[in-house]
Amino acid sequence: MTTLSTIIFDCADPVALAAFYAKATGWRAGEGDADYATVEGGPVTLAFQRVDGYPGGPGWPGGEKHLHLDFQVADLEAARRELVALGAAMPEFQPGEDSWTVFTDPEGHPFCVSAA
């Protein structure tokens, strides 16, 4: 049996991206430095590793993305406002209608939020 323990993102600024996801999820920022930072307290650890010359996230709705995270929240409208205030962007293309919302984090990685 295999257990998923960590999802790791390539990025330009691990500390800043970890801080964004810690605030967005309510989890806690773990150890971190300029090259690697984590967010802990959820079902898996989120980790962010610095890549020299990182060009930014894959964008949305471009076909370059390799994965994205899905989150559920109690109040979708409140979450939309809070995430944008934290630095997330809400792209114009929204295929989920009112079922879910696509966001991009401060480095352009897409993630979705739906009501629990």
Side-chain angles (χ1 to χ4, degrees):
M1 178 177 201
T2 302
T3 301
L4 178 64
S5 63
T6 307
I7 298 170
I8 302 172
F9 290 80
D10 291 346
C11 64
D13 187 344
V15 173
L17 208 50
F20 168 81
Y21 278 101
K23 291 175 186 172
T25 61
W27 303 350
R28 68 186 175 282
E31 295 182 26
D33 59 32
D35 292 321
Y36 187 84
T38 63
V39 176
E40 302 166 347
V44 298
T45 297
L46 299 179
F48 307 89
Q49 65 184 6
R50 186 177 65 79
V51 173
D52 288 333
Y54 184 70
W60 174 260
E64 297 83 29
K65 69 179 174 46
H66 295 269
L67 66 92
H68 70 271
L69 302 176
D70 283 352
F71 295 100
Q72 290 187 326
V73 297
D75 184 336
L76 185 56
E77 200 53 46
R80 287 175 179 150
R81 289 189 303 273
E82 291 169 15
L83 290 164
V84 168
L86 289 173
M90 201 165 69
E92 186 175 319
F93 178 62
Q94 293 290 329
E97 299 176 6
D98 289 331
S99 298
W100 74 86
T101 301
V102 176
F103 291 92
T104 54
D105 69 25
E107 287 202 16
H109 302 99
F111 65 95
C112 296
V113 177
S114 63

